[in-house]
Amino acid sequence: MIGLISATAAGAAARDRLAAAWPDRTRVYDGPVGDAVRRAFAECEQLVCFLASGAVVRLVAPLLSDKTSDPGVVCVDEAGRFAVPLVGGHAGGANELAREVGGLLGAMPVVTTATDAVGIPGLDTLGLPVEGDVAGVTRALLDGEPVALDAEVTWPLPPVPFAERGAHTVRVTDRAVEAADREVLLRPPSLVVGVGASRGAPVAEVLDVIEGALRDAGLSPRSIAELATVEAKADEPGIVGAAARLGVPLVTYSAEELAAVEVPNPSAAPLAAVGTPSVAEAAALVRGGELLVPKRKSAGVPATATCAVVRRSGRGRLAVVGLGPGARDLLTPRAKAELRRASVLVGLDQYVDQIRDLLRPGTRVLESGLGAEEERARTAVAEARRGHAVALIGSGDAGVYAMASPALAEASDDIDVIGVPGVTAALAAAAILGAPLGHDHVSISLSDLHTPWEVIERRVRAAAEADLVVTFYNPRSRGRDWQLPKALAILAGHREPTTPVGVVRNASRPDGTARVTTLALLDPATVDMMTVVTVGNTATRDIAGRMVTPRGYRWQEEPK
């Protein structure tokens, strides 16, 4: 919950805007400001104070106890110009909250945390439990000293400028080890504990067999991702209680799913009881991984619980990101976030140049030239399969005549794939031209490098006969100068010579040009590969120099 505190009418107005936008996340604290801050500090995970920063500092200073448990505090000035994280920038989430508040209220987030200021993710913000010399290793990163990455477990991390060797180390491990001097341990959620239990098994006995298995194998309980069991045991108090004590989710599978898993130690007892020859081992292994601890029984007489431990490598992450038509302000916030999250970026060299300044230090860039689309798709998928967080970029929307299709044809279900939409060239051009896509429309690429011309021509004829507005991508190049005249001739067989045609080159870019002409007057020689050509349908009109395709609303047909 986010506590909201204000002292003046102007502050209350901004406070109420935030409360209205986030009704389920916020709680307004009225009354004397000092009392309101104290109550909110004790009851909420975060605070937004619409007060002077000095006043907030004096009010919260006596309440601070520990940076890992104190709520994050954001201060917003009376004019609503700035959102300043004062306390708990990382651990309390105040930095991110300031960005959210700023986006909602139009205020500038003023983030002064050193790592955020230079674009390096804080080691305590990676979403993994962290131990060791966090301050010392972070200082080394900020000072540009070499910090080595020792990844005993492959896990997708955001970009950090690691070196091959260094006096400081970040170690990614699920082993039960202590951090050495100048070392930080990151605990990935790589361990799955499969659990079986007899009816009425005590929580203490279930916990004891789990903790004993981890201790004997030298594994850290902080790396447990989940407990797993059969559906029949979903409500077994001992298993449910153990998951709650460990602070991890309980995942269940049907007996049929578990029975299909090959295990080293099947047994007739669980087969008779719940319909599968293995519960602990099968539940741990059902989603794959390395069996580190085979089934072991608890120490009770008789034993009432079993467990097995499996290590799963982190699933790689492939984000297919559309960069939009070229203008920076048409690059979506989600695309920017994915670019900053990726530790590996794969893309066409000229597209990489467009967004290179947005990448975080430590991002590994794999760029190539024109004609290497399949190579980039294979590279991006291969890097994701190695457990990296990868961004594969394309212009416009990466799913429209771009990299999503070859990449997803290469990818299988062993990686996570996220699609990030972008503003397409057709949409950017349409916005410049007016409203040519106001009714049904189609996009057709005239490049026959990957599609036979016979297929392209059949599609153009179908669009012409269906009276669809047509946007032509890749309309003409030095080596392909006849396809556009041929396509226009096909459309001219179904539309008047006066049909409006929009020609937009480098849509949204500083050197962009746009004009509206007609089907009869368009000179194909003025078109190149950087141009989008939009041909209207029989209803499209040139109104005040803009292309407009009516949607067909009834009120537009009524006499005035």
Side-chain angles (χ1 to χ4, degrees):
M1 187 63 66
I2 302 171
L4 306 180
I5 301 102
S6 63
T8 66
R15 177 204 66 191
D16 292 344
R17 285 177 60 195
L18 210 59
W22 297 339
D24 299 327
R25 296 178 61 190
T26 58
R27 180 186 303 157
V28 173
Y29 284 80
D30 293 316
V33 170
D35 292 341
V37 168
R38 282 188 290 272
R39 286 186 288 122
F41 199 93
E43 298 171 1
C44 297
E45 292 80 22
Q46 295 175 318
L47 281 69
V48 179
C49 300
F50 297 86
L51 306 165
S53 58
V56 178
V57 168
R58 289 183 173 84
L59 288 169
V60 303
L63 308 176
L64 299 177
S65 59
D66 184 88
K67 65 181 294 183
T68 61
S69 58
D70 289 332
V73 179
V74 172
C75 177
V76 179
D77 66 292
E78 290 288 305
R81 297 171 300 167
F82 306 106
V84 185
L86 292 181
V87 174
H90 285 167
N95 290 350
E96 184 56 34
L97 178 60
R99 295 186 182 98
E100 288 189 81
V101 170
L104 186 64
L105 300 181
M108 177 182 296
V110 182
V111 178
T112 58
T113 310
T115 51
D116 293 81
V118 300
I120 297 174
L123 297 175
D124 54 351
T125 67
L126 301 182
L128 304 179
V130 60
E131 304 169 16
D133 186 12
V134 176
V137 174
T138 299
R139 190 178 304 111
L141 286 169
L142 293 171
D143 291 342
E145 298 179 24
V147 175
L149 175 65
D150 180 7
E152 296 178 3
V153 178
T154 301
W155 208 261
L157 297 174
V160 179
F162 291 123
E164 290 187 9
R165 298 181 183 84
H168 297 78
T169 304
V170 172
R171 185 177 176 188
V172 184
T173 181
D174 54 19
R175 296 287 177 185
V177 294
E178 297 292 331
D181 292 338
R182 300 182 178 183
E183 183 178 63
V184 164
L185 302 181
L186 295 178
R187 300 294 191 185
S190 54
L191 303 179
V192 177
V193 180
V195 182
S198 303
R199 186 183 301 276
V203 173
E205 187 164 343
V206 177
L207 277 174
D208 184 65
V209 70
I210 294 172
E211 292 170 349
L214 295 173
R215 183 174 56 252
D216 293 347
L219 299 171
S220 171
R222 300 193 76 184
S223 282
I224 298 177
E226 61 194 37
L227 297 193
T229 191
V230 67
E231 286 178 352
K233 296 295 180 179
D235 299 323
E236 186 62 46
I239 296 177
V240 173
R245 296 271 191 93
L246 292 167
V248 298
L250 176 62
V251 178
T252 62
Y253 301 98
S254 69
E256 291 76 16
E257 287 180 282
L258 299 187
V261 179
E262 291 188 12
V263 297
N265 299 293
S267 172
L271 179 61
V274 293
T276 171
S278 173
V279 173
E281 288 180 339
L285 285 167
V286 66
R287 296 291 179 246
E290 176 190 3
L291 184 62
L292 301 180
V293 181
K295 182 179 72 173
R296 62 187 289 170
K297 296 180 180 180
S298 59
V301 181
T304 62
T306 59
C307 81
V309 183
V310 162
R311 175 186 287 140
R312 291 183 194 163
S313 296
R315 285 173 64 87
R317 188 176 191 276
L318 174 60
V320 187
V321 181
L323 300 181
R328 179 57 61 86
D329 60 352
L330 292 181
L331 178 66
T332 67
R334 185 178 299 181
K336 291 179 183 178
E338 287 295 344
L339 294 176
R340 295 179 62 78
R341 175 174 183 166
S343 60
V344 180
L345 181 87
V346 181
L348 178 68
D349 47 14
Q350 62 188 35
Y351 297 155
V352 172
D353 289 341
Q354 291 179 23
I355 48 82
R356 200 182 296 273
D357 62 302
L358 296 178
L359 304 178
R360 279 182 161 166
T363 305
R364 184 157 53 95
V365 178
L366 304 176
E367 54 189 311
S368 53
L370 287 169
E373 288 84 1
E374 293 182 11
E375 174 192 340
R376 286 194 290 276
R378 286 194 296 267
T379 297
V381 172
E383 290 292 333
R385 283 181 175 145
R386 294 188 184 104
H388 298 300
V390 182
L392 174 63
I393 59 174
S395 66
D397 184 289
V400 179
Y401 302 123
M403 293 306 302
S405 178
L408 298 193
E410 184 76 17
S412 52
D413 62 0
D414 57 345
I415 61 174
D416 294 326
V417 177
I418 297 90
V420 181
V423 178
T424 67
L427 295 179
I432 294 169
L433 294 171
L437 308 183
H439 211 315
D440 296 336
H441 55 275
V442 63
S443 295
I444 299 176
S445 171
L446 294 183
S447 172
D448 56 3
L449 294 177
H450 302 289
T451 306
W453 174 252
E454 293 76 14
V455 175
I456 297 172
E457 183 173 338
R458 187 166 66 247
R459 291 170 179 171
V460 174
R461 290 188 184 281
E465 292 170 1
D467 197 27
L468 298 173
V469 175
V470 181
T471 298
F472 288 124
Y473 278 73
N474 306 312
R476 183 176 181 273
S477 68
R478 291 179 182 176
R480 293 186 301 100
D481 58 1
W482 59 268
Q483 287 89 341
L484 178 59
K486 177 68 173 176
L488 295 174
I490 293 171
L491 292 177
H494 298 266
R495 299 177 194 186
E496 296 295 327
T498 55
T499 299
V501 177
V503 182
V504 181
R505 188 177 190 278
N506 284 337
S508 85
R509 301 187 185 187
D511 60 345
T513 60
R515 59 193 171 93
V516 177
T517 181
T518 67
L519 193 55
L521 296 178
L522 174 62
D523 180 3
T526 62
V527 173
D528 62 12
M529 285 288 286
M530 306 303 293
T531 305
V532 171
V533 177
T534 302
V535 182
N537 66 9
T538 56
T540 305
R541 298 289 180 265
D542 182 336
I543 301 176
R546 304 182 187 93
M547 283 183 71
V548 179
T549 302
R551 180 69 178 88
Y553 294 109
R554 291 176 182 172
W555 56 265
Q556 291 182 317
E557 301 173 357
E558 296 174 357
K560 296 181 180 180

